[in-house]
């Protein structure tokens, strides 16, 4: 059985304590091949975005209960304050709302991650360069595609906002590291 890469393996695992991993290991080769393909990068980014969005949505939903609010009732019915419900019903309403918000945010983050990583990888493969333009262009295309239902002004705004954010993150990630 292969130990996890970089885990050290413990006593008797067959890997020396200082060895990171064997680059000829078939599992490592498979992971590297997947991360070198645009489909693999996009899929992993989508899955990671879905997970991160789920956690973020759960956190944001839990923060919305710090003030009294009204429970969503039947359309046209008078809303009922949640504080007037029994504790069990309050928890049921809260967890149901938290789950739906978390799932909604997870889908959105997953879609953004999938689109951005796929577009950036496609641009990088087409240009055969790895520079800041790839992320900026991918941000512009992703923002524009996501805002397409809002009309041309929304597309331009989405493009500009995503491109600026992508350029800022890319510039920050590409700056030299300080050695202390």
């Amino acid at each position: 059985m292969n130990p996890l890469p970089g885990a050290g393996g413990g006593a008797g695992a067959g890997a020396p304590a200082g060895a990171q991993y064997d680059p000829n290991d078939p599992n490592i080769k498979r992971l590297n091949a997947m991360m070198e393909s645009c489909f693999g990068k996009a899929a992993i980014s989508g899955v990671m975005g879905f997970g991160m969005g789920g956690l973020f949505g759960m956190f944001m939903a839990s923060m919305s209960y710090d003030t009294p609010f009204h429970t969503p009732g039947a359309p046209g019915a008078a809303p009922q304050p949640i504080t007037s419900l029994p504790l069990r019903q309050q928890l049921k309403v809260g967890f149901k709302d938290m789950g739906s918000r978390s799932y909604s945010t997870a889908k959105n983050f997953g879609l953004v991650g999938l689109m951005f990583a796929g577009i950036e990888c496609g641009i990088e493969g087409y240009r055969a360069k790895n520079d800041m333009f790839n992320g900026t262009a991918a941000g512009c295309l992703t923002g524009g595609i996501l805002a397409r239902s809002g009309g041309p002004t929304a597309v331009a705004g989405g493009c500009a906002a995503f491109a600026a954010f992508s350029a800022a993150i890319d510039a920050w990630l590409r700056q030299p590291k300080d050695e202390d």
Side-chain angles (χ1 to χ4, degrees), residues 2 15 19 25-26 28 37 73 87 92 124 130 138 171:
N2 293 336
D25 184 3
I28 300 298
S37 74
L87 178 63
K92 181 180 176 184
E124 185 176 327
N130 184 356

Side-chain angles (χ1 to χ4, degrees), residues 133-146:
F133 177 79
N134 297 338
T136 306
C140 178
L141 285 170
T142 302
I145 291 169
L146 290 174

Side-chain angles (χ1 to χ4, degrees), residues 108-132:
N108 291 333
F109 274 52
L111 179 65
V112 169
L114 178 97
M115 285 178 56
F116 180 82
I119 292 171
E120 183 185 33
C121 186
I123 291 172
E124 185 176 327
Y126 180 75
R127 294 183 65 229
K129 288 183 182 178
N130 184 356
D131 57 8
M132 280 185 55

Side-chain angles (χ1 to χ4, degrees), residues 6-154:
Q20 290 289 328
Y21 61 89
D22 180 15
N24 294 323
D25 184 3
N27 296 325
I28 300 298
K29 285 184 177 182
R30 212 173 305 127
L31 284 174
N32 285 337
M34 184 175 62
M35 284 306 295
E36 289 174 4
S37 74
C38 288
F39 179 77
K41 284 181 185 177
I44 288 175
S45 295
V47 169
M48 295 300 286
F50 186 86
M52 192 68 154
L55 293 174
F56 185 72
M58 192 178 340
F59 173 74
M60 294 305 290
S62 69
M63 292 294 117
S64 70
Y65 300 119
D66 59 350
T67 59
F69 72 99
H70 298 287
T71 61
Q80 182 181 13
I82 194 167
T83 54
S84 67
L85 297 174
L87 178 63
R88 186 176 218 119
Q89 189 68 23
Q90 287 180 25
L91 290 173
K92 181 180 176 184
V93 168
F95 283 132
K96 186 175 183 180
D97 182 54
M98 189 181 293
S100 66
R101 286 191 196 191
S102 180
Y103 183 66
S104 174
T105 306
K107 287 191 305 184
N108 291 333
F109 274 52
L111 179 65
V112 169
L114 178 97
M115 285 178 56
F116 180 82
I119 292 171
E120 183 185 33
C121 186
I123 291 172
E124 185 176 327
Y126 180 75
R127 294 183 65 229
K129 288 183 182 178
N130 184 356
D131 57 8
M132 280 185 55
F133 177 79
N134 297 338
T136 306
C140 178
L141 285 170
T142 302
I145 291 169
L146 290 174
R148 71 188 180 279
S149 64
T153 306

